[in-house]
């Protein structure tokens, strides 16, 4: 497994890829594979240190302390029942408008340009998908997607912090791998958190997508 090679050189890209892979696993729906996924995250964290590793470790500890059914219920209540907590990044940049279709197409095109097909069972702008792509396929293109959507990620982080969710630590770890938010980005994130995403102009047919979209859960 490429990501498990010891990062002795302090290479930033390798460290960030480890963080992205761990975050992708932690943000996945906690089904029967959760214990194995947490073990994998622990293995990944053995190879990095610093604030991001500590933050990811806090989410791991919180999930290990929960009963499987409680973890699954909390996940659904956190991410599927609250629009502010959505992990679909274009929801915050385009809302339910026709622009959202174009923005999701941009994600899919980035994946194809890197030689992989977008997942069939999930939207291409779904944060765990973007993180997995950045970690295992094309770290440069993946970092660009994450950086371009820093504002939605910050909105999500704030919403999870308000909810006192253990997943907030994982989003904070992802933020550690990105450039610091500018004052303009911070103000935009605050406005979005207060006002919500863009809406379609009067007279136009909106791009309709349930938020959050229905997803097939693993057994």
């Amino acid at each position: 497994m490429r990501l498990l090679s010891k990062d002795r050189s302090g290479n930033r890209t390798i460290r960030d890829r480890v963080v992205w892979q761990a975050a992708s696993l932690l943000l996945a729906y906690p089904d029967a594979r959760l214990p194995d996924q947490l073990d994998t995250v622990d293995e990944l964290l053995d190879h990095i240190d610093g604030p991001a590793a500590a933050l990811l470790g806090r989410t791991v500890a919180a999930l290990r302390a929960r009963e499987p059914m409680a973890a699954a219920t909390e996940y659904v209540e956190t991410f599927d029942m609250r629009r502010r907590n959505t992990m679909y990044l274009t929801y915050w940049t385009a809302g339910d408008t026709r622009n959202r279709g174009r923005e999701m197409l941009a994600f899919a095109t980035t994946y194809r340009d890197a030689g992989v097909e977008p997942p069939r069972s999930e939207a291409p702008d779904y944060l765990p998908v973007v993180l997995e792509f950045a970690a295992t396929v094309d770290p440069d293109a993946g970092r660009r997607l994450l950086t371009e959507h820093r504002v939605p990620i910050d909105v999500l982080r704030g919403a999870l912090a308000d909810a006192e969710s253990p997943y907030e630590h994982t989003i904070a770890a992802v933020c550690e791998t990105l450039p610091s938010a500018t004052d303009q980005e911070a103000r935009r994130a605050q406005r979005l958190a207060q006002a919500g995403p863009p809406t379609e102009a009067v007279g136009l047919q909106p791009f309709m997508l349930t938020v959050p979209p229905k997803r097939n859960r693993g057994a």
Side-chain angles (χ1 to χ4, degrees), residues 80-172:
D80 290 359
M81 306 301 291
R82 302 172 185 172
R83 287 177 177 239
R84 284 190 66 209
N85 296 355
T86 183
M87 289 194 283
Y88 294 87
L89 299 178
T90 64
Y91 173 66
W92 288 106
T93 57
D96 278 330
T97 72
R98 66 184 63 199
N99 288 336
R100 189 171 181 195
R102 289 195 291 269
E103 290 192 14
M104 286 201 292
L105 178 60
F107 278 84
T109 299
T110 298
Y111 298 157
R112 291 192 177 100
D113 287 346
V116 297
E117 284 297 312
R120 295 183 178 181
S121 60
E122 194 51 88
D125 65 330
Y126 186 50
L127 181 56
V129 170
V130 182
L131 291 167
E132 174 116 6
F133 170 77
T136 64
V137 178
D138 189 331
D140 293 331
R143 187 189 301 279
R144 184 175 68 252
L145 288 175
L146 292 168
T147 301
E148 290 173 351
H149 292 81
R150 174 62 190 260
V151 170
I153 293 172
D154 281 339
V155 173
L156 173 60
R157 178 183 179 182
L160 293 175
D162 290 344
E164 298 183 347
S165 169
Y167 292 105
E168 187 267 334
H169 308 306
T170 293
I171 302 301

Side-chain angles (χ1 to χ4, degrees), residues 169-193:
H169 308 306
T170 293
I171 302 301
V174 172
C175 291
E176 288 286 331
T177 69
L178 305 177
S180 298
T182 64
D183 290 342
Q184 181 179 9
E185 288 172 332
R187 288 192 297 270
R188 185 181 172 207
Q190 185 177 24
R191 288 196 301 270
L192 281 174

